[in-house]
Amino acid sequence: MADLTPPRRHPGTERNTPADAPAKEPHAEPAAPTDTPTGEPRAEPATPADEPRTEPTTPADTPVDRDRVARLLGHPDLAWLVERAHRRMARAEPLTGPVTLAAPTPDQRAAAERLLGRAPGTGRSLSVRLEAVDAVLRRSGAAPGGLAAAVTALTGPVARLADLRAQEAQAWREAYDPLTGLRPELAAWADRIRADGLVRRLARTPRTARDLLTATARALRALPAEPPVSLAAFAARTLGDAHALDDGTPLATLVHSGARALTGFPDGTGAEWRREAWAAAGLLKDALSSTVLTLGLTGTPALDAHAENGEPAVLTLRQLTRTPPSAAPATVYVCENPAVPATAADTLGPACPPLVCLQGQPSAAALTLLRHLHAHGTALRYHGDFDWGGLRIAATLLTHVPFRPWRYTAADYRAAASASPLAPLLTGAPADAPWDPDLRAALTELGVRVEEEAVLDTLMGDLGDGAPRQPDRPHS
């Protein structure tokens, strides 16, 4: 590694290299620097760091000769040296000691050697002492204030990192100001948003965060929407953009989070959960495509007419949020597959008790209806397929509304399996049954799946009687 620190000067000796300055008389003025053939001023080598400096200290804010500083230090091949000094100034570190450039180019090495007036060095890296550069700049007259003044002249004022960090921290604190003054039920949510880092991840900068939270606060102040309105219409009316609350946008993420805090909607995942959470705040996402199948349910003119004729009815999420059923039956049966209400309509017609069919995973419309019924005192009884998928559907439903099993226990499975000698083998990953922990063990033991279609006669018998044959065990 080539070290371009000037050598120690010993009394009684003279140096004959081109970079040496002429001898000085005591108290004599220093000789004016002369230009080198390259057009750069040639300066005397700096006094080594361990010898006292003879020139007086000059303030760093002393005016500099910008043209001469540019010729001395502004060459592209010295940009690395300026950057290292700038970095130290930003960190409030002293401009002393060596800085090293690994694998310098020949031009970078030559530029450093011209600056310090030294003979070419050898080595894989290039090391320059900042004190030496400071001395060159002072003695040349280009920057009487030294290296700090020269760097400032080349790069502009150097902001201290500590000051920048303090300013950024203050800007982030002010970015959350739009959350101030929200309704009391959102206070805990606002505190959590300030602390959990979500806004920083979504916005990246304080300015963007402030704009994002301003829009979030505007939307939350308009919730819950009464009467319910489509999500796109609400976004257009409140935020000026029908797509502002589309899934995946930072604004939708924050408003959805705040809406759940406002309504007390439980945590969850998945598209149906997001849709239902919006609906709880009066915002309908795909309000017409989310439906639920019913039979024998009353409480609206359309439902009353269908129940009287013994025909199934399809309710949309829009209908359920605008005009939910006014009647709350004592018991409503819930099933997984549409074969159950279809068979019930054929065999029982108007005599069928209220029945709700999920048609697979519970939709936002199904959950909205069942939650509404439960809130008004209706007891829910559920039956589904005896397979791992059926258990998962039932477990998902149970996280939203309580139910008691309707012929959906381990004992019911064993009876159904024994009556279905051709039942297909069970496949897939096992699942738990929180309403009956023995059900998983029974499915694992017997290893066959029993779909609802295989037990339709038993289910129709229960619906015809208006109650299961055996008492159901309450879920705790």
Side-chain angles (χ1 to χ4, degrees), residues 329-358:
T331 301
V332 167
Y333 297 94
V334 185
C335 64
E336 178 184 343
N337 298 286
V340 178
T343 303
D346 291 339
T347 59
L348 300 174
C352 183
L355 177 65
V356 172
C357 179
L358 299 184

Side-chain angles (χ1 to χ4, degrees), residues 3-160:
D3 189 343
L4 297 183
T5 305
R8 180 184 297 274
R9 181 181 299 173
H10 298 283
T13 63
E14 295 183 355
R15 294 174 293 178
N16 296 318
T17 64
D20 287 343
K24 300 182 211 171
E25 295 295 330
H27 307 296
E29 292 294 324
T34 59
D35 286 343
T36 66
T38 61
E40 295 182 356
R42 176 174 295 174
E44 295 181 344
T47 302
D50 57 350
E51 292 187 4
R53 183 177 290 170
T54 58
E55 69 272 19
T57 302
T58 306
D61 58 357
T62 301
V64 302
D65 186 329
R66 294 179 180 273
D67 290 339
R68 296 179 67 191
V69 166
R71 291 199 302 272
L72 278 171
L73 201 59
H75 195 278
D77 288 321
L78 292 175
W80 71 273
L81 181 60
V82 175
E83 188 275 333
R84 303 290 178 85
H86 186 283
R87 188 188 307 170
R88 290 198 181 186
M89 293 170 64
R91 295 174 178 173
E93 297 173 351
L95 296 178
T96 58
V99 291
T100 302
L101 178 65
T105 67
D107 289 342
Q108 288 173 324
R109 188 185 297 279
E113 291 162 351
R114 285 196 304 270
L115 172 66
L116 297 176
R118 303 298 299 158
T122 60
R124 293 184 178 179
S125 61
L126 174 63
S127 181
V128 175
R129 294 192 68 87
L130 295 180
E131 299 96 329
V133 179
D134 184 89
V136 167
L137 293 165
R138 290 180 187 273
R139 292 187 180 188
S140 70
L147 180 55
V151 170
T152 301
L154 290 172
T155 67
V158 179
R160 299 292 176 91

Side-chain angles (χ1 to χ4, degrees), residues 26 121 124 217 234 249 265 288 369 379 383 435 438 459:
R124 293 184 178 179
F234 174 84
T249 64
F265 198 83
L288 297 180
L369 173 59
H383 186 278
W435 61 94
D438 294 335
L459 299 180

